[in-house]
Amino acid sequence: RKICGVTSLDIVRANKFVHEASGAPIETIDVPVVGGHAGVTILPLFSKVPAAKAFTPEQIEKMDKHVQDAGTDVVNAKGGKGSATLSMAYAGAK
């Protein structure tokens, strides 16, 4: 059994950001994310991911903010006229 919710979307985003920063294969990355789904309530646990072990505290802080703001970034990029529907569909399919 699995519990699937909006945090799945934050996991997909966190995995992608770690992949981009580390170069590790995306299929080897699984960032646990706890908390809510709004701003600072989103808590990616990068310390649990081998690919993120070499990140500096500054990189972790920047990555936290990147995950926390990702949804807002998408809405802003669409001029306030939509959300990350494709990202949500991808996360749901995972």
Side-chain angles (χ1 to χ4, degrees):
R1 294 189 138 169
K2 290 184 179 183
I3 296 175
C4 181
V6 293
T7 301
S8 297
L9 177 56
D10 300 316
I11 292 168
V12 167
R13 289 173 173 159
N15 291 346
K16 175 68 171 165
F17 300 153
V18 169
H19 162 70
E20 290 174 342
S22 70
I26 190 75
E27 54 277 347
T28 67
I29 300 168
D30 188 19
V31 180
V33 177
V34 298
H37 181 64
V40 297
T41 67
I42 302 169
L43 303 171
L45 305 178
F46 296 114
S47 63
K48 301 292 184 188
V49 181
K53 294 286 186 195
F55 292 172
T56 66
E58 293 78 19
Q59 286 174 300
I60 295 291
E61 187 175 335
K62 186 175 179 181
M63 191 115 21
D64 277 337
K65 184 91 170 114
H66 193 28
V67 174
Q68 292 168 347
D69 293 343
T72 302
D73 292 344
V74 171
V75 171
N76 290 340
K78 291 184 169 190
K81 296 180 181 169
S83 62
T85 50
L86 291 177
S87 298
M88 288 184 272
Y90 177 78
K94 293 271 301 168

